[in-house]
Amino acid sequence: MLVTFRVKDIETRLHSVPAQIRPQELAALMRRLHTANSTIDADPGEFLAAPLNFEINANALAIAEFASCFDHRPEMIAIVEEAQFLGRMLRIEHQQCDAPITMRVSEHIALVGDITMSSDLAAKVLTSLGRHANESGQLSLQKLGTALEDHRTYAAFVKAGITPLFESLAFIAATDCGEQHPLLEWTV
């Protein structure tokens, strides 16, 4: 089983509201993303060539390219601008067969990529951080940074033989997310 460590922010108040995407707009967006070789983070079970539930980096395309995909609709531009300003992902989702396809600002921070690892390796990381190895959880980036500054934490990573992950987590903890209050979240 895999465990993914992901940085997200659920506290910052968003000003944009989710908006409906027309099928031809979604097709135009997908063409642009594929042409630009942008990474599409599709939800599990989605067909990568044409997913209906996925996330993309809001900076994958220029604002003008996004605007042209959405026929320059102000509500769509507002979503993209806010996501770009906050360094967030854009979330495209289709909840049910009869529901519309929508786009919104995601809670996931685009400045930091996900770290996915085996459950055994994740257990070593969590134990080294002084957490329960078999429990899902979250940790503010500030608390993560404080934990990583402790010499005993580094020693635990060395003892477990996972110092490259210490360095990856240190990079995440040092990420400046402006006035947002991001969390490192994992699900076991």
Side-chain angles (χ1 to χ4, degrees), residues 96-165:
Q96 302 169 1
C97 290
D98 58 345
I101 301 168
T102 59
M103 183 172 80
R104 64 178 172 84
V105 175
S106 172
E107 60 194 14
H108 299 121
I109 305 293
L111 301 171
V112 179
D114 298 349
I115 301 176
T116 302
M117 61 188 75
S118 70
S119 56
D120 292 340
L121 189 55
K124 289 180 181 180
V125 169
L126 293 171
T127 301
S128 297
L129 288 171
R131 300 296 206 170
H132 294 286
N134 297 322
E135 292 183 11
S136 299
Q138 57 189 24
L139 187 63
S140 74
L141 293 193
Q142 182 180 15
K143 287 183 180 177
L144 174 63
T146 301
L148 295 173
E149 289 173 359
D150 187 334
H151 70 280
R152 293 171 292 195
T153 303
Y154 182 74
F157 274 81
V158 170
K159 183 177 179 183
I162 55 173
T163 52
L165 289 170

Side-chain angles (χ1 to χ4, degrees), residues 50-101:
L52 294 176
N53 294 286
F54 63 96
E55 293 192 359
I56 56 170
N57 188 325
N59 291 306
L61 302 172
I63 191 83
E65 290 180 283
F66 277 115
S68 68
C69 292
F70 300 116
D71 199 27
H72 303 280
R73 290 194 294 149
E75 67 273 21
M76 303 307 277
I77 295 169
I79 293 168
V80 173
E81 284 181 332
E82 185 169 34
Q84 286 183 346
F85 178 76
L86 293 174
R88 300 275 193 95
M89 302 288 276
L90 289 170
R91 174 86 185 148
I92 312 296
E93 53 193 0
H94 187 235
Q95 297 288 340
Q96 302 169 1
C97 290
D98 58 345
I101 301 168

Side-chain angles (χ1 to χ4, degrees), residues 22-29 31 69:
R22 299 179 198 116
Q24 59 272 36
E25 292 172 333
L26 180 58
L29 175 62
R31 275 192 305 277
C69 292

